[in-house]
Amino acid sequence: MKVGKNSPNISFLKWKLVLVTPLVSNAIVLLQARRKGLTMDFDTKNILLDVDVSDKLSLFQYIAHYAKVNKLVNKSEQLVEAFLKREEEVSTGLQDSFAIPHAKGDFIYQPAVIFLKLRHPISWETFDEQPVANVFALLVPSEFEGRNHLEMISKIATSLMEGDFTDAIKNTKDIKQLKEIITKAMKGEY
């Protein structure tokens, strides 16, 4: 695309990429995933509470071990490397104690969202320079990395801008209630 006097506004292009593209492609991605037996359903087993880690690396290792044991990935080391590579590009720390580390690759078997509530907040580069205690880890197989990846990030990130959502997540340790809140966010209902 040439950039010049008649070029589209960059802000509009960002808006389209972040908001419109994931919404338009949502139905196609879900249909492809369902045809292949892959779903984005959120399960209570992917809610991990009172996670005792001391830093991002130990958190990524914890997530990778969980993903390997639960057959979400075939090699835990590759997942840790993918998280670290993503963090080198731009921090996935947000604000208000939340982060959304995400990884994509051939070693991931199915799209997954894993929510972790940490026992103690950990240091993370965030917009408000505060530590992180609530983590949404997103895992995306390579075959869905474009649309599915953006869709998952978009829905969770959009929900994280809603005070009702963040307050509900931070103020409960009830797994059934967390599942209900997170499922609602994944459906774009916040």
Side-chain angles (χ1 to χ4, degrees), residues 87 91-102 124-132 134 136 153 156-161 166:
E87 287 297 316
S91 175
T92 58
L94 299 176
Q95 64 186 29
D96 203 22
S97 81
F98 287 91
I100 308 178
H102 42 285
W124 206 302
E125 185 180 328
T126 60
F127 296 123
D128 61 2
E129 299 178 9
Q130 297 299 311
V132 166
N134 299 286
F136 287 94
I153 293 169
I156 297 293
T158 300
S159 297
L160 288 171
M161 292 189 286
T166 57

Side-chain angles (χ1 to χ4, degrees), residues 23-39:
L23 296 175
V24 170
S25 64
N26 182 23
I28 295 168
V29 170
L30 291 176
L31 182 59
Q32 288 174 336
R34 285 190 182 115
R35 283 185 184 154
K36 294 185 179 208
L38 302 174
T39 63

Side-chain angles (χ1 to χ4, degrees), residues 17-142:
L17 177 65
V18 173
L19 296 176
V20 176
T21 303
L23 296 175
V24 170
S25 64
N26 182 23
I28 295 168
V29 170
L30 291 176
L31 182 59
Q32 288 174 336
R34 285 190 182 115
R35 283 185 184 154
K36 294 185 179 208
L38 302 174
T39 63
M40 287 183 39
D41 295 333
F42 186 70
D43 193 327
T44 55
K45 74 177 183 173
N46 287 348
I47 298 174
L48 310 175
L49 304 178
D50 202 32
V51 175
D52 191 15
V53 294
S54 58
D55 56 25
K56 279 194 287 189
L57 178 59
S58 60
L59 172 66
F60 295 159
Q61 290 167 336
Y62 185 96
I63 295 167
H65 175 76
Y66 172 85
K68 172 75 173 152
V69 167
N70 286 279
K71 297 179 176 46
L72 298 173
V73 299
N74 63 1
K75 293 189 178 177
S76 59
E77 305 83 24
Q78 288 180 303
L79 183 56
V80 172
E81 288 173 23
F83 281 137
L84 291 172
K85 182 179 176 190
R86 177 61 185 87
E87 287 297 316
E88 285 176 10
E89 294 170 12
V90 176
S91 175
T92 58
L94 299 176
Q95 64 186 29
D96 203 22
S97 81
F98 287 91
I100 308 178
H102 42 285
K104 51 192 171 190
D106 301 351
F107 57 91
I108 299 172
Y109 294 135
Q110 66 183 38
V113 174
I114 303 167
F115 174 70
L116 303 95
K117 190 177 280 275
L118 308 183
R119 182 178 297 170
H120 306 286
I122 60 174
S123 180
W124 206 302
E125 185 180 328
T126 60
F127 296 123
D128 61 2
E129 299 178 9
Q130 297 299 311
V132 166
N134 299 286
V135 178
F136 287 94
L138 311 179
L139 311 181
V140 181
S142 290

